[in-house]
Amino acid sequence: MAEKLDQIFVQAKHELVRWLLCHVPGAWAEVLSALLSIATLLVAFAALFALTTLLERKGLGRIQNRYGPNRVGPFGLLQPVADGIKALTKEDVVPRAADQVVHFIAPLVLVVPVFLALAVLPVGRNMVVVDLDAGLLFFFAVGAATELSVFMAGWSSRNKYSLLGAMRAIAQMISYEVPLILSAVTVVMMAGSLSTVRIVEVQAGFSGWLPHWHVLTPWGLAGFLLFLIAAAAEANRCPFDLPEGESEIIAGYYIEYSGFKFALFFLGEYIGLFAVSGLAITLFLGGWTAPLPFVQWVPSYVWFFLKLLSLIAFFIWVRGTLPRLRMDQLMSFAWKFMLPLSLINLLAAGLWRFLPEGLTRWAFCSLLLAAAYIGLGRSLVQRRNLGRRTYRFAE
Amino acid sequence: MTPPEPSSYLVLALLLVAALLFGLTPLALAWLWARFFSPAKPGPTKHAIYECGLESRGDAWIQFRSGYYLYAILFLIFDVETVFLLPFAVAFGGLSIGGFVAMMVFILLLAEGLVWAWQKGVLAWK
């Protein structure tokens, strides 16, 4: 029964292809199968996007002690629909000075790669749109194309704030891409494969109560945290949302966008967040595997989306809590803390394999990473005079 | 009987087209809506660049600060490094400790570049 429920979507797809093949020639089988997977991917993640926009506004509302959207439909559930209709009917204003062609292409250059990146994420057992041998490399390759879109948008608008936002975005994204990839390399070292499906399979199984997730090792925990911080920066999420700081450069690279082009930027950014969170889940949190042995009867895709929603909730929480960084803090954090720490994490992962199993390697790797964390962290704050704060009140 | 698995290239090509349509369809719908229900009324103020309501001065297409360029070079070094690291990481399961040490020496050489840039003050954002 559990097995059947787990594979229900896979079976449904096979049945549907077989039924459709009664009406079209057999040569179409591959195309039909591919199209069904793609349609499911697009619909599922577009729906998740609609849900997330609502959750984000509700969550931020609660954090800021207000209700959030609650007028459209029950509990404001129809708010995304209203937003969609509004975006469709808004006038599309393009500044006369802008580079019209590049201005038009930029949102598409954002939306297409993020959907391509989603294709390699296994959302359940046997549920992946395309299982590439070099899936991880493909993910990073298409993910890097989003930087191009940001710069196209900022440059083509011919607006100084847009350009500032775009330059900040490029500087930030390339700085955080290095720790993002380096922290993922540790997982590749242990799994011995670039295939995302294989990486999840390595993490299936339990020793006692504990799952074999990579996050439950010293190098995995450090890698996961580094990856999560770099992911927030790659997705331009708070506290790394300098490129689109509303209060300083209005909205950064998409000031001059209106109507549905703006909505496409919004969509692309959220889907990008899902993709990179999904990759964090795949690499470190065991993908679709269950966290405890006795809940393995719950279907695999449920676990994947539960983990994804938890990570999204975490990002919303962070956005409602942390203030925005300053540009110099942002860059020195990337180059003087994240990058050296992710290099040391590579060393820790290597030692983890060569040291004998048991408590020694746990202690050794943890100590190495803790020492690096403290040492590098000190170098960031050493020149600051953090003394007791004194207040002067008006008399 | 399960249907044949489509080749990865076919799936990715179809996904590329589907994602493009996913973006273009609503843009086309919005264009149609605007065509029939909201005729364009362009004006110099409306189509001006938005910079906080003040009239824009000077062009935005200017030269870059060289600071960005140095970061880009550093990024290039480490990005190329990861290209070398990925095959090493895939083969890591079968490597001896000697191979691992060799790779660490390679990383150390690049880390030296980072330390040098740090000492030179390249990493300080001004």
Side-chain angles (χ1 to χ4, degrees):
Chain A
M1 183 60 202
E3 178 66 24
K4 214 171 191 177
L5 207 60
D6 190 34
Q7 296 298 304
I8 191 163
F9 289 112
V10 181
Q11 286 303 325
K13 183 183 143 189
H14 290 169
E15 290 298 326
L16 207 56
V17 170
R18 214 171 304 155
W19 179 76
L20 284 168
L21 279 182
C22 305
H23 305 277
V24 293
W28 283 80
E30 290 188 12
V31 178
L32 282 176
S33 162
L35 281 179
L36 279 174
S37 309
I38 289 166
T40 322
L41 176 91
L42 290 181
V43 170
F45 281 94
L48 191 63
F49 160 68
L51 180 69
T52 310
T53 55
L54 182 69
L55 283 180
E56 171 130 34
R57 292 169 69 181
K58 279 272 184 196
L60 285 180
R62 282 294 167 186
I63 289 172
Q64 293 160 3
N65 204 8
R66 55 189 173 82
Y67 286 114
N70 64 351
R71 296 286 128 170
V72 193
F75 308 105
L77 274 174
L78 294 178
Q79 185 69 39
V81 181
D83 286 341
I85 293 171
K86 181 184 161 185
L88 275 174
T89 54
K90 278 276 173 183
E91 185 178 355
D92 182 17
V93 183
V94 182
R96 190 158 286 146
D99 185 331
Q100 310 282 333
V101 179
V102 181
H103 192 269
F104 177 78
I105 296 174
L108 294 173
V109 174
L110 182 65
V111 169
V112 172
V114 290
F115 274 118
L116 281 178
L118 279 179
V120 292
L121 295 182
V123 293
R125 188 180 283 122
N126 302 331
M127 284 164 76
V128 59
V129 174
V130 45
D131 176 17
L132 292 177
D133 289 334
L136 199 62
L137 196 61
F138 176 80
F139 185 98
F140 288 129
V142 292
T146 56
E147 285 155 37
L148 193 64
S149 148
V150 167
F151 193 69
M152 282 165 80
W155 181 256
S156 68
S157 300
R158 210 162 186 171
N159 180 321
K160 284 170 218 107
Y161 291 95
S162 290
L163 191 70
L164 264 178
M167 292 216 262
R168 281 183 179 188
I170 294 289
Q172 169 183 328
M173 284 170 140
I174 63 172
S175 300
Y176 282 89
E177 186 148 315
V178 178
L180 187 80
I181 302 180
L182 283 181
S183 54
V185 165
T186 54
V187 174
V188 181
M189 281 163 76
M190 292 304 160
S193 172
L194 284 167
S195 154
T196 44
V197 175
R198 176 89 194 107
I199 286 170
V200 173
E201 276 167 8
V202 167
Q203 298 176 76
F206 299 89
S207 28
W209 287 73
L210 288 177
H212 289 168
W213 295 359
H214 289 139
V215 74
L216 297 175
T217 53
W219 58 269
L221 183 65
F224 176 63
L225 294 177
L226 286 169
F227 191 91
L228 214 57
I229 295 169
E234 284 290 298
N236 290 332
R237 290 286 305 190
C238 203
F240 303 106
D241 59 348
L242 288 106
E244 46 198 72
E246 297 89 347
S247 47
E248 25 190 297
I249 48 173
I250 338 181
Y253 50 88
Y254 52 65
I255 303 177
E256 299 294 2
Y257 281 88
S258 53
F260 212 85
K261 286 186 201 158
F262 178 79
L264 280 184
F265 266 110
F266 216 65
L267 174 92
E269 225 159 69
Y270 272 103
I271 303 282
L273 179 71
F274 300 156
V276 81
S277 310
L279 191 67
I281 292 166
T282 305
L283 291 177
F284 298 102
L285 295 182
W288 43 259
T289 58
L292 290 167
F294 57 86
V295 282
Q296 277 175 304
W297 53 271
V298 179
S300 52
Y301 45 86
V302 173
W303 284 121
F304 181 85
F305 280 100
L306 272 181
K307 288 173 192 175
L308 189 56
L309 282 171
S310 323
L311 275 187
I312 290 168
F314 170 76
F315 280 122
I316 293 173
W317 184 15
V318 166
R319 181 173 169 191
T321 312
L322 294 181
R324 189 176 296 141
L325 287 176
R326 231 170 39 215
M327 195 65 197
D328 61 324
Q329 292 171 333
L330 179 91
M331 297 305 272
S332 57
F333 185 65
W335 291 99
K336 297 181 182 171
F337 183 81
M338 299 274 288
L339 178 58
L341 197 59
S342 54
L343 288 175
I344 289 169
N345 197 30
L346 281 181
L347 179 67
L351 289 176
W352 179 262
R353 188 186 141 225
F354 289 114
L355 288 176
E357 275 188 48
L359 205 62
T360 40
R361 72 173 184 177
W362 269 91
F364 197 82
C365 287
S366 308
L367 276 177
L368 177 70
L369 287 167
Y373 171 78
I374 292 167
L376 290 167
R378 286 230 166 156
S379 79
L380 279 183
V381 290
Q382 66 185 8
R383 251 173 280 148
R384 198 106 11 106
N385 271 326
L386 291 177
R388 222 182 127 83
R389 238 186 226 182
T390 51
Y391 294 96
R392 267 211 350 239
F393 298 102
E395 285 160 22
Chain B
M1 177 205 95
T2 56
E5 275 298 308
S7 90
S8 331
Y9 291 112
L10 177 72
V11 181
L12 287 178
L14 284 173
L15 181 56
L16 186 78
V17 176
L20 208 56
L21 286 178
F22 188 89
L24 281 173
T25 316
L27 284 181
L29 283 177
W31 180 77
L32 278 177
W33 173 273
R35 210 187 134 93
F36 289 112
F37 298 105
S38 64
K41 287 185 187 139
T45 331
K46 188 177 177 183
H47 285 256
I49 281 161
Y50 176 70
E51 284 175 6
C52 292
L54 298 175
E55 208 168 301
S56 175
R57 279 160 174 264
D59 199 354
W61 289 355
I62 44 153
Q63 285 182 334
F64 275 65
R65 266 192 48 195
S66 62
Y68 291 101
Y69 172 71
L70 289 172
Y71 278 102
I73 287 196
L74 272 179
F75 164 72
L76 204 62
I77 297 171
F78 283 95
D79 211 39
V80 174
E81 180 197 349
T82 51
V83 173
F84 286 111
L85 270 176
L86 283 173
F88 152 75
V90 173
F92 181 65
L95 281 187
S96 64
I97 193 141
F100 175 63
V101 169
M103 208 58 202
M104 284 297 128
V105 170
F106 170 66
I107 292 176
L108 200 65
L109 288 175
L110 288 168
E112 264 174 38
L114 181 70
V115 171
W116 180 80
W118 195 333
Q119 293 298 325
K120 278 276 180 186
V122 173
L123 298 182
W125 185 268
K126 287 179 283 283

